[in-house]
Amino acid sequence: MAGRFGPYGGRYVPETLVAALDDLTELYDAVRADAGFWAEYHALLRDVVGRPSALSTAPRLGELIGTQVLLKREDLNHTGAHKINNAIGQALLARRMGKRRIIAETGAGQHGVATATVCARFGLECVVYMGEVDVARQALNVYRMQLLGATVVPVSSGTRTLKDATNEALRDWVTNVPTTHYIIGSVVGPDPFPRMVRDFQSVIGIEARAQVLERGGRLPDTVVACVGGGSNAIGIFAGFLGDHDVELVGVEAAGKGIASGHHSATLSAGRPGVLHGSLSYLLQDADGQVLPAHSVSAGLDYPGVGPEHSWLRDERRVTYAAVDDQDALAAFQLMARLEGIIPALVTAHAIAWMTRSRGRWNADQTVLLCLSGRGDKDVAHVAVQLQEPS
Ligand SMILES: *Cc1c(COP(=O)(O)O)cnc(C)c1O
């Protein structure tokens, strides 16, 4: 069935959204086969984002782990993360639909900044929903969005984080669908969003595969990425899914530890359920109530995950692991000192899994990390965390 990944995905939405999703699906299916659309998309990725992003070595991190490490540098993109790849693709679709008002949800603020940036460039109205807790944690990104001309709407319901911001954005969309496109920030939501966002992010994996081959003449042994909603991970995995000898690893946030109940390890500790329009693994209690998620990193504290990851987990094509707050904070500092790169705190979870897995690879093997974003926006938050015993 279209829009499903095995049993996962689908469309669990109010009737008012069905026509809009049908229109979007029809347009996207047409656009997928339209070489002109992709030429425009790739021209904008070059011009606005600065793609292709670099592939770097990480010799000192590699020495510590005992293997070769390569970094796909999405942190070097304009606005500092992979999110803008998707924002540009969806803004192009909105333009084709004649919709001039854009809404988005954001957690850490990176997707909001990417969307506000693209809206400024295209001359579109932009409204970003953000939980009040995240507004406080990520003040710099809030101000950045406002500078870019976006309206940031603080959300005070529920846990006042990403899940609630997404609810509010969906509510807005239901009301304003004739004029408004919803640029969802990850491979979540009802069909066609998960496959559409995947296709826009697959540029990461397609570029990385060619760059790794050009550098060393062979494929990496392992590809590692952090998983929030799962878009940077799906994006880099997309380049290697057909290469069955390449191990794929997604790293979730274990927060204060899975046993504590305060975590965001949806694939490691959740069960299938419906959130934000699709069926996927979900943190929920015995009655099916969605459980609050925790992570030291804003934006990772999301109780759901993209449906394609649920399928890749069940099929065992991808291995999912979880890293706690303390290990992520340690990896954040380690990466800065060893490689001169301050990674996003989210990305630090994947780095921590690599250092924890020392001994898994020999010196001739290669591990490719999706360095999904830079950590400038996290520095103040980390400074506080490192002073507080938690
Ligand atoms: C938003 C974000 C993530 C998490 O989102 P995914 O959809 O899982 O990629 C990871 N890294 C960075 C730098 C982000 O900004």
Side-chain angles (χ1 to χ4, degrees), residues 6 54 186 363 390:
S186 191
S390 63

Side-chain angles (χ1 to χ4, degrees), residues 193-209:
F193 284 107
R195 58 192 169 100
M196 205 167 72
V197 177
R198 173 200 63 203
D199 293 346
F200 290 136
Q201 292 294 3
S202 68
V203 65
I204 303 172
I206 293 167
E207 280 179 12
R209 188 177 190 280

Side-chain angles (χ1 to χ4, degrees), residues 74-225:
E74 295 299 300
D75 62 315
L76 297 179
N77 292 341
H78 181 45
T79 69
H82 65 292
K83 298 267 176 20
I84 195 163
N85 304 326
N86 166 50
I88 284 188
Q90 289 204 51
L92 276 178
L93 288 177
R95 206 156 72 173
R96 289 216 172 184
M97 290 184 286
K99 294 187 173 180
R100 304 206 54 83
R101 179 174 181 270
I102 299 294
I103 58 170
E105 84 296 338
T106 199
Q110 285 305 101
H111 176 56
V113 168
T115 303
T117 298
V118 172
C119 287
R121 165 82 192 218
F122 284 18
L124 301 170
E125 183 188 347
C126 182
V127 177
V128 180
Y129 290 92
M130 188 171 188
E132 279 181 344
V133 169
D134 292 331
V135 168
R137 284 197 285 198
Q138 301 284 338
L140 184 62
N141 270 346
V142 172
Y143 187 57
R144 206 173 266 155
M145 287 183 264
Q146 289 165 342
L147 272 177
L148 292 161
T151 304
V152 179
V153 182
V155 174
S156 58
S157 56
T159 52
R160 297 177 291 143
T161 58
L162 180 56
K163 166 179 71 71
D164 313 289
T166 307
N167 285 336
E168 218 50 51
L170 282 165
R171 214 162 284 153
D172 178 316
W173 203 33
V174 169
T175 313
N176 298 300
V177 81
T179 60
T180 299
H181 178 62
Y182 176 19
I183 301 190
I184 208 161
S186 191
V187 284
V188 299
D191 183 67
F193 284 107
R195 58 192 169 100
M196 205 167 72
V197 177
R198 173 200 63 203
D199 293 346
F200 290 136
Q201 292 294 3
S202 68
V203 65
I204 303 172
I206 293 167
E207 280 179 12
R209 188 177 190 280
Q211 288 168 317
V212 173
L213 283 174
E214 188 184 35
R215 177 179 290 271
R218 57 181 195 82
L219 291 170
D221 295 280
T222 304
V223 179
V224 188

Side-chain angles (χ1 to χ4, degrees), residues 81-83 110 186 226-232 344 346 372-373:
H82 65 292
K83 298 267 176 20
Q110 285 305 101
S186 191
C226 64
V227 175
S231 69
N232 85 90
V346 205
S372 54

